Each structure stands twice: as structure tokens, then as C-alpha cells.
Amino acid sequence: MQIHETTKPQLRFANGEFDITMFSDGFIQVHIDIVVADGTDEQRENVMAVTGDPDGKNVRSKANIPLLKRGADTILVDIGAGSKYQPSDGKLLADMANAGIKPSEITKVVITHGHPDHLWAMLDSDSNLTFPNATYYVNEAEWFYWTDPDLPNNLPHDFAEFARGAQRDFAAVADRVVLVHPGEDIVPGLRVLDTAGHTPAHISLEVEGDDGLIITGDVATNQIASFQFPKIRFGFDTDSDLAITIRLKMLDRAATDRIKLLGYHWAYPGLGYAERNGGAYRYAPAQ
């Protein structure tokens, strides 16, 4: 089935006092050996059958970005990669334009973590802020992790590039950043959750109202692997054991309480439920 990486009209729905529109930044390609880092051949085949790229080697990981409106605030949760990461991503601004949303209208940007596919759209080709009127919200511990000047020297080559990009982009908003902590609200009804593991201080967001909604970020990076094989390592997790523990806790809570989940890398629009399936889970898209 062909998936259009930008859609018009975009999915729009209400949750509590928030009006939410789902945008797409396109997709990134992630090698199957990263997505299923210590899994079996059968598990790899299951993941590739649903989310695999036609090249047969990579998973096609979508990039779903929610825009939340409440009162005078227009909030983006993560901003995509811009033109700096892979040629298949960086579509957010075009998708926003299709909906008549201008970058200057964004009042708040929340960054779940410092990886390029969530952050590198910070600056345009002229090194100006893409969202010039926004205040930026970052977990304090995540901010200090990425802005440590010694970090690039302490990471493998590929991850060192991640660090240099995060330092470039965080430096650009240093005078307009608000450092937050788990348990605090970005605005009333939008609460920061501690979901460390994928990065040292990764956060998710809980949206108050209705039956509940959690914007998960990268707690569960694949709609097959993360649900059906939740104890398998994902190769880009900083702390695999902690990431697995957090993933299991979130899936258990979501399945028990029937909380809607929004996943950054699931098939657009990335909105669905965790349902128990034997000793694991399955992803059920919201209707």
C-alpha cells in the first residue's frame, strides 16, 4: 500500500480543551538491524512486512508531528529534520502550508529529545529560526546532556554528529528556552512525563481530557517491533534496559486504561491504542 508522506486534509481531532492537527515530516530510513537490534530473523521479517522500505533493508519510519491549539497558544511537539538529515524527511513546513499554518504562528515548541529527526529543522537555510516567535521547551537534563561541550568527543562517530547538530540548534534558542521537568505543565492540561531511556532525559507529554492521550515521542519507535516484541533492543536507545522498562510501563498503562497513544514513527497519523496480545501487545490504529 502506498503511503503519501504529506496529506491534505490532515487529520484533525479534539482532546479535552485542545484542538490537534497531525502533520507529517515525511519519513526516515532506519536499518532493520537497528530497529530489531537483537531479534530473530522471523521478527525482522514481521517488522519488514508492515513497515519495511522497498529496498528490503530499511524500515520506513514516519515522522508524525502534532500541532496543538488551546486558547492563544499554538504548540508544536517536535519539529522534524528540515533539510539536514535525509532527503525523505523535512516536509513539515510544506504540510503546514497545506493547512494554512504559517511558521510565525507557532507560539511554543516542545522538544521531546535531541535527535536530528525531532530537532534539526530549528534553523532554515539562512540560519534563521524556522519558528521565529516561539518559546522552546526542553527537559533540563536533556538540554545539559546535549550541550555538554565534551559530548561529541565521547560518542561514536555517527552519534557525535547528532551531538554537534543538537548543540548548534540548542544554541540558537538559548535566549528563549524554558527548561522544564517531569510533572510540570507546558500549559494547563499538557504535562511533561519522564520517559528517559531512548535518550538520557527523553520526555513524553500527557494531554488532559476525554479518555486520555499520550504523545509518546520515541518511547515506542515501531508499530510492530515496539508492541509485539517490546523487550527487543532498539539500536538508537542510549540506555536499552531503561528504554525497555519505560516502554513496558507505558504500554501496560495504555492497555489497562485504554489511553490513546500518538507515536512519532508509526504509520500516519500515528494515533492508536495498545492492546494486549498474549504476553505482549499489538498496535490498533484509532478509527
Side-chain angles (χ1 to χ4, degrees):
M1 180 176 67
Q2 184 177 5
I3 301 292
H4 295 284
E5 305 309 338
T6 55
T7 56
K8 184 180 181 181
Q10 295 84 2
L11 176 71
R12 182 177 175 182
F13 64 101
N15 191 91
E17 296 184 7
F18 293 89
D19 182 88
I20 302 174
T21 304
M22 293 304 305
F23 292 109
S24 171
D25 197 50
F27 66 93
I28 61 171
Q29 293 177 305
V30 184
H31 198 279
I32 183 61
D33 289 344
I34 294 174
V35 176
V36 187
D38 55 358
T40 66
D41 289 342
E42 182 180 3
Q43 289 168 335
R44 285 178 169 82
E45 290 171 3
N46 289 341
V47 171
M48 289 296 293
V50 178
T51 62
D53 195 80
D55 67 8
K57 299 177 181 179
N58 292 289
V59 168
R60 182 170 288 197
S61 292
K62 307 304 188 292
N64 305 308
I65 298 178
L67 181 146
L68 296 80
K69 288 190 174 184
R70 180 185 182 276
D73 277 313
T74 302
I75 306 164
L76 279 177
V77 181
D78 292 327
I79 55 176
S83 60
K84 302 180 183 72
Y85 191 43
Q86 295 185 12
S88 50
D89 59 10
K91 315 301 182 186
L92 173 62
L93 292 184
D95 212 21
M96 288 173 56
N98 285 341
I101 303 294
K102 299 177 181 178
S104 59
E105 296 177 43
I106 305 302
T107 62
K108 290 179 170 63
V109 168
V110 183
I111 301 297
T112 62
H113 63 293
H115 281 169
D117 51 321
H118 297 253
L119 178 65
W120 281 12
M122 188 72 77
L123 299 171
D124 64 18
S125 58
D126 295 320
S127 296
N128 297 315
L129 287 176
T130 303
F131 305 101
N133 297 322
T135 301
Y136 294 79
Y137 294 77
V138 183
N139 188 0
E140 182 177 53
E142 186 81 357
W143 175 272
F144 284 117
Y145 171 78
W146 289 107
T147 57
D148 178 354
D150 293 329
L151 181 63
N153 299 324
N154 296 327
L155 294 174
H157 174 73
D158 290 344
F159 286 99
E161 187 63 24
F162 284 16
R164 284 189 284 269
Q167 290 178 353
R168 173 198 64 219
D169 292 340
F170 281 153
V173 296
D175 62 344
R176 56 174 72 198
V177 70
V178 176
L179 299 179
V180 298
H181 308 90
E184 296 178 349
D185 286 353
I186 304 297
V187 297
L190 184 62
R191 179 153 296 180
V192 177
L193 300 180
D194 179 3
T195 50
H198 181 61
T199 60
H202 180 285
I203 60 171
S204 303
L205 297 171
E206 186 159 10
V207 186
E208 187 178 274
D210 299 332
D211 294 326
L213 171 66
I214 297 176
I215 301 171
T216 65
D218 278 3
V219 173
T221 53
N222 183 272
Q223 67 199 63
I224 303 300
S226 302
F227 286 78
Q228 295 183 20
F229 323 120
K231 295 181 181 180
I232 287 179
R233 291 189 305 110
F234 178 66
F236 284 157
D237 287 340
T238 300
D239 184 333
S240 294
D241 290 342
L242 179 58
I244 289 168
T245 296
I246 292 295
R247 179 160 54 250
L248 290 169
K249 285 182 178 179
M250 179 171 286
L251 293 175
D252 178 70
R253 180 188 172 199
T256 299
D257 296 338
R258 191 67 177 169
I259 298 172
K260 195 175 295 183
L261 301 175
L262 200 166
Y264 195 83
H265 290 300
W266 310 339
Y268 180 90
L271 194 66
Y273 297 92
E275 296 180 343
R276 286 193 171 80
N277 183 27
Y281 303 87
R282 61 171 165 252
Y283 171 66
Q287 300 299 317

